[in-house]
Amino acid sequence: MIKVTLPDGSVREFAQGVTPMDVAKNISEGFARNVISANYNDTTIETSTPLTTDGNLTLYTWNDKEGKKAFWHSTSHVMAQALEELFPGIKLTLGPAIDNGFYYDVDFGDQKITDADFKRIEDRVLEISREKHEFKMRPVSKAEALEVYKNNEYKTELISNLEDGTITFCDHANFFDLCRGGHIPNTGIIKAVKIMSIAGAYWRGDEKNKQLTRVYGTSFPKQKDLTDYLELLEEAKRRDHRKLGKELDLFHFSQRVGQGLPLWLPKGAALRDRLEQFLKKAQKKAGYEQVVTPHIGQKELYVTSGHYAKYGADSFQPIHTPAEGEEFLLKPMNCPHHCEIYNARPWSYKDLPKRYAEFGTVYRYEQSGELHGLTRVRGFTQDDAHIFCTPDQLDAEFKNVIDLVLYVFGSLGFENFTAQVSVRDLDNPDKYIGSVENWEKAENAIISAAKDKGLNYVIEAGEAAFYGPKLDFMVKDALGRSWQLGTIQVDYNLPERFDLSYKGSDNELHRPVMIHRAPFGSMERFIAILLEHTAGNFPLWLMPEQAIILSLSEKYEKYAKKVLDLLEIHEIRALIDNRNETIGKKIREAEMQKMPFMLIVGEEEEKNGTISVRRNGQEGKGNITVTIEEFAKIVNEEINKTLKQF
Ligand SMILES: [Zn+2]
Ligand SMILES: [Zn+2]
């Protein structure tokens, strides 16, 4: 008998040789029907693999990340079979699962695959799938494996690096492939498949090697899942912040200025400014003080902070001046500057905490291939702040920061989020600077704050920064994608390096604790995420313009102007479209610009002192005719629904 421990800690006894599928059936027949993959003692195995020792078993369904991985990797085997049949003589290399699907890197030799082939590949994959072939692992000797693949230099290279006795093939139908394992029970579960694209890829990612063709695909257990996925991709394309940023005149990239350096156009700058004012107002209430620091700092500053040793080689290189030996760095972080602000005078424990905030622009070198719209740039502005406090104040300060972050998310319509506490990797102590005792204190402070604030959090070992543990917020956007926003970080190390101190009640000097925090993270990335989350329909309070007055003809220009003045009194941001165009065209263009309210004025409205209101995106509901005062009430009510007082 062997003892099998399940994730809930329960232990069940089985005869030696029991398979994960047997265990699943022992739990429940209904559950077993959905089980597609398994893990035993930290090794991915098939659901048909006999278990011979005691161990921990996890069973996966399609709803688990690992289940999807097995599903997609298995589909890559079926696609490889289809490709071999349709393109005889090709050489297969590697075919892993990736996020949202799988790929297979193939040497097509003299043959060529194009988009036009996708359909017949999909058809063949589905045909094979319907035949319900089991995936079976088979051990082979190194000599046999080398013989089988003697005409495939890629597989030969892979096999050469494997130890004899550890090599396995995976069989299904009349197809086999060199593989470590991790497959679904049979091909019959694959009900929908889509070949997504082809791209060039060097063997082993090295451009000195031969270029192969990477065939990307995805697959699902239901046709409906595939349809939904493709719709989601289309919607993501429509919401791409690079596309919306152009359509809404928010930002621009110029090759002349340089890659990864966004230029904010007037409307984008107004949007940024509104976000900054919103946060500044809340921060003021929370006791922060604004500071301003330069864009460069002496190289020594970053040698002191430790950033230079850690990131110097991969960063923008030092700026030299005519003075010999003088070197400056573009500021990659604001923290060292803020430490020196703290150091500008001596402090007593009665003065703490000090909370310094700055919308500080920083510069980090990213390889050009890594750059992406506003989400990966080389220059960006952090909504940064550093809190210097006594160890006793840490808990309360950390909780205050969590309150601020939650306020920011609530006001911007991010309702779905989780938190991640990133702690050390205890097996790799050399990766981190600072004492073990301080790390423990900091990690405990974060976990207790997350608990007290009722956050839905997970603890991730090994994800901490080199100078301290942190709490990250992972936000789900309207398309269900996860983004990391809002970081709060405890740091015992920079106070040490910058020799920060305060005089305690005992009249002795003590080290303050430092908290780094940025609710938005970076203004650039945050606006990109907000654009994709809202599709450009920002919360009303944030909209650069909240309404546009559309006159039915030039005759009503004067009345339109009067309406504009009245809106201004009510602090509603509006503009007038007085062009000699049809009202239909004016409405369409205003909708394209995501204008929240369209206020139509003509003869009736002028006579009665009213406006005809049309809400963007609610064309079915028809217009309502109201006075300016009534309209102002509607606007304020909508704003107050999202923008609460901090
Ligand atoms: Zn495999
Ligand atoms: Zn910092």
Side-chain angles (χ1 to χ4, degrees):
M1 297 295 269
I2 58 164
K3 285 197 179 87
V4 176
T5 308
L6 296 167
D8 64 359
S10 66
V11 181
R12 297 187 190 207
E13 283 202 31
F14 295 95
Q16 209 178 35
V18 68
T19 68
M21 190 51 83
D22 296 332
V23 177
K25 283 179 182 158
N26 185 267
I27 294 168
S28 109
E29 286 283 344
F31 173 60
R33 271 194 288 281
N34 291 319
V35 168
I36 57 176
S37 171
N39 181 298
Y40 203 55
N41 293 336
D42 293 327
T43 306
T44 304
I45 55 169
E46 334 301 312
T47 57
S48 57
T49 307
L51 309 179
T52 53
T53 58
D54 290 353
N56 296 305
L57 177 70
T58 312
L59 297 160
Y60 300 117
T61 70
W62 166 257
N63 294 323
D64 300 302
K65 211 172 150 192
E66 287 300 314
K68 286 188 177 72
K69 207 172 143 189
F71 193 93
W72 286 326
H73 168 67
S74 302
T75 316
S76 87
H77 278 272
V78 183
M79 182 180 78
Q81 181 189 359
L83 290 173
E84 253 190 359
E85 290 175 11
L86 298 169
F87 301 88
I90 57 169
K91 289 174 185 170
L92 299 171
T93 69
L94 287 166
I98 50 172
D99 286 350
N100 302 314
F102 56 88
Y103 67 75
Y104 214 115
D105 280 350
V106 181
D107 182 350
F108 278 86
D110 299 335
Q111 305 181 69
K112 210 172 154 32
I113 177 174
T114 69
D115 295 13
D117 297 309
F118 291 2
K119 178 78 173 63
R120 59 187 187 123
I121 299 169
E122 290 162 9
D123 289 348
R124 184 62 192 132
V125 170
L126 286 177
E127 247 172 55
I128 299 165
S129 297
R130 275 194 293 269
E131 289 161 13
K132 280 195 189 170
H133 299 289
E134 272 180 54
F135 288 99
K136 283 188 202 145
M137 298 304 292
R138 164 169 54 107
V140 288
S141 70
K142 193 163 179 170
E144 191 191 336
L146 286 170
E147 172 60 24
V148 167
Y149 281 115
K150 64 172 185 267
N151 294 323
N152 182 328
E153 61 271 32
Y154 311 101
K155 296 280 191 194
T156 307
E157 187 182 319
L158 294 173
I159 295 162
S160 307
N161 293 324
L162 296 172
E163 231 168 86
D164 202 1
T166 66
I167 301 169
T168 48
F169 282 5
C170 176
D171 295 312
H172 79 268
N174 56 356
F175 179 84
F176 63 88
D177 202 348
L178 174 72
C179 190
R180 267 197 303 262
H183 305 97
I184 56 178
N186 68 73
T187 61
I189 306 164
I190 304 163
K191 299 278 199 252
V193 67
K194 178 98 186 151
I195 307 302
M196 302 297 294
S197 60
I198 43 177
Y202 294 103
W203 168 238
R204 301 229 149 179
D206 186 342
E207 59 188 73
K208 286 191 219 93
N209 289 338
K210 186 165 178 192
Q211 199 177 41
L212 308 169
T213 303
R214 180 165 294 180
V215 186
Y216 285 100
T218 190
S219 59
F220 293 91
K222 284 187 203 134
Q223 182 59 43
K224 166 110 181 28
D225 293 342
L226 173 61
T227 313
D228 289 350
Y229 176 68
L230 295 177
E231 264 168 30
L232 192 76
L233 286 187
E234 279 306 307
E235 184 57 29
K237 247 188 240 167
R238 275 193 289 275
R239 287 173 181 237
D240 190 317
H241 74 275
R242 294 167 299 179
K243 176 175 168 279
L244 286 173
K246 196 173 255 174
E247 286 168 10
L248 301 177
D249 284 326
L250 298 178
F251 56 87
H252 173 66
F253 285 94
S254 149
Q255 291 305 316
R256 244 185 222 150
V257 171
Q259 286 186 315
L261 298 169
L263 301 173
W264 289 88
L265 306 179
K267 276 179 74 178
L271 176 75
R272 258 178 82 129
D273 186 54
R274 204 163 296 289
L275 276 173
E276 288 188 11
Q277 295 308 328
F278 154 75
L279 188 58
K280 273 185 185 165
K281 197 172 153 194
Q283 284 179 168
K284 196 168 176 201
K285 281 193 179 160
Y288 289 78
E289 298 168 285
Q290 287 292 132
V291 294
V292 178
T293 65
H295 288 239
I296 63 173
Q298 283 205 92
K299 183 177 147 188
E300 276 310 306
L301 180 69
Y302 300 102
V303 172
T304 304
S305 71
H307 291 116
Y308 189 75
K310 191 87 183 167
Y311 301 116
D314 300 323
S315 300
F316 284 112
Q317 292 308 295
I319 302 163
H320 297 272
T321 72
E324 211 188 307
E326 199 177 40
E327 288 182 305
F328 288 90
L329 286 183
L330 278 171
K331 178 166 74 176
M333 306 222 153
N334 301 302
C335 347
H337 287 75
H338 290 188
C339 285
E340 285 305 296
I341 288 181
Y342 180 89
N343 263 341
R345 52 155 280 190
W347 298 105
S348 141
Y349 70 98
K350 289 182 215 147
D351 302 319
L352 301 188
K354 296 308 294 179
R355 309 178 187 95
Y356 296 135
E358 176 178 18
F359 286 89
T361 304
V362 296
Y363 302 87
R364 296 182 192 168
Y365 180 75
E366 300 272 2
Q367 293 190 355
S368 59
E370 301 286 314
L371 298 171
H372 180 86
L374 291 181
T375 56
R376 284 293 280 276
V377 286
R378 287 176 174 170
F380 57 94
T381 301
Q382 294 178 310
D383 55 325
D384 213 354
H386 296 96
I387 299 167
F388 302 89
C389 63
T390 70
D392 291 345
Q393 293 167 333
L394 181 63
D395 267 3
E397 284 306 305
F398 207 89
K399 283 172 194 160
N400 290 342
V401 177
I402 292 180
D403 286 339
L404 183 69
V405 172
L406 297 184
Y407 169 69
V408 168
F409 290 173
S411 303
L412 288 154
F414 289 106
E415 281 147 10
N416 199 343
F417 55 85
T418 56
Q420 177 180 313
V421 181
S422 300
V423 297
R424 283 161 301 168
D425 172 4
L426 291 172
D427 295 332
N428 269 313
D430 296 347
K431 268 170 66 179
Y432 310 100
I433 56 176
S435 79
V436 169
E437 190 203 345
N438 283 341
W439 269 87
E440 272 167 11
K441 261 197 243 167
E443 288 172 355
N444 291 336
I446 297 182
I447 293 167
S448 94
K451 228 179 248 165
D452 283 10
K453 286 288 161 196
L455 296 181
N456 172 12
Y457 70 97
V458 289
I459 297 174
E460 290 286 348
E463 291 293 309
F466 77 95
Y467 54 89
K470 56 179 179 166
L471 178 73
D472 289 318
F473 287 87
M474 316 294 283
V475 176
K476 260 211 173 122
D477 73 6
L479 300 186
R481 300 170 300 182
S482 271
W483 299 90
Q484 188 206 309
L485 284 181
T487 299
I488 318 174
Q489 195 145 21
V490 177
D491 186 352
Y492 285 96
N493 294 304
L494 280 190
E496 205 67 50
R497 288 175 164 262
F498 281 90
D499 195 20
L500 308 184
S501 65
Y502 66 91
K503 195 174 267 179
S505 56
D506 56 2
N507 254 334
E508 299 285 327
L509 286 181
H510 298 270
R511 282 265 180 261
V513 187
M514 192 172 169
I515 299 175
H516 311 249
R517 42 106 285 179
F520 295 142
S522 99
M523 300 307 287
E524 284 71 12
R525 188 165 167 278
F526 187 81
I527 287 173
I529 294 166
L530 194 61
L531 264 170
E532 300 197 0
H533 178 56
T534 62
N537 298 302
F538 300 122
L540 193 53
W541 67 265
L542 184 60
M543 274 293 189
E545 276 113 16
Q546 296 160 318
I548 187 163
I549 304 159
L550 310 175
S551 57
L552 278 173
S553 86
E554 288 161 332
K555 269 198 297 187
Y556 310 107
E557 195 173 338
K558 233 172 121 189
Y559 181 60
K561 181 73 182 62
K562 190 179 156 201
V563 170
L564 184 72
D565 291 344
L566 284 170
L567 290 175
E568 209 174 299
I569 292 169
H570 288 283
E571 292 184 352
I572 294 170
R573 298 183 292 277
L575 50 93
I576 302 176
D577 183 353
N578 249 334
R579 292 172 307 156
N580 197 10
E581 295 285 356
T582 65
I583 193 73
K585 186 164 190 236
K586 287 184 184 181
I587 288 174
R588 269 195 309 281
E589 287 181 11
E591 280 177 340
M592 277 289 289
Q593 286 298 306
K594 316 273 180 188
M595 201 61 79
F597 290 100
M598 286 151 269
L599 313 177
I600 298 150
V601 293
E603 192 178 347
E604 275 297 300
E605 286 80 9
E606 180 166 21
K607 199 173 77 199
N608 302 324
T610 57
I611 47 179
S612 200
V613 181
R614 185 186 172 100
R615 182 73 170 102
N616 195 353
Q618 295 183 358
E619 49 271 45
K621 293 194 178 167
N623 301 355
I624 49 164
T625 303
V626 292
T627 63
I628 305 294
E629 283 70 30
E630 284 165 335
F631 175 66
K633 224 178 121 199
I634 293 171
V635 170
N636 281 322
E637 270 171 16
E638 186 173 329
I639 287 175
N640 291 335
K641 252 191 255 164
T642 41
L643 188 62
K644 304 269 185 291
Q645 286 297 315
F646 180 66

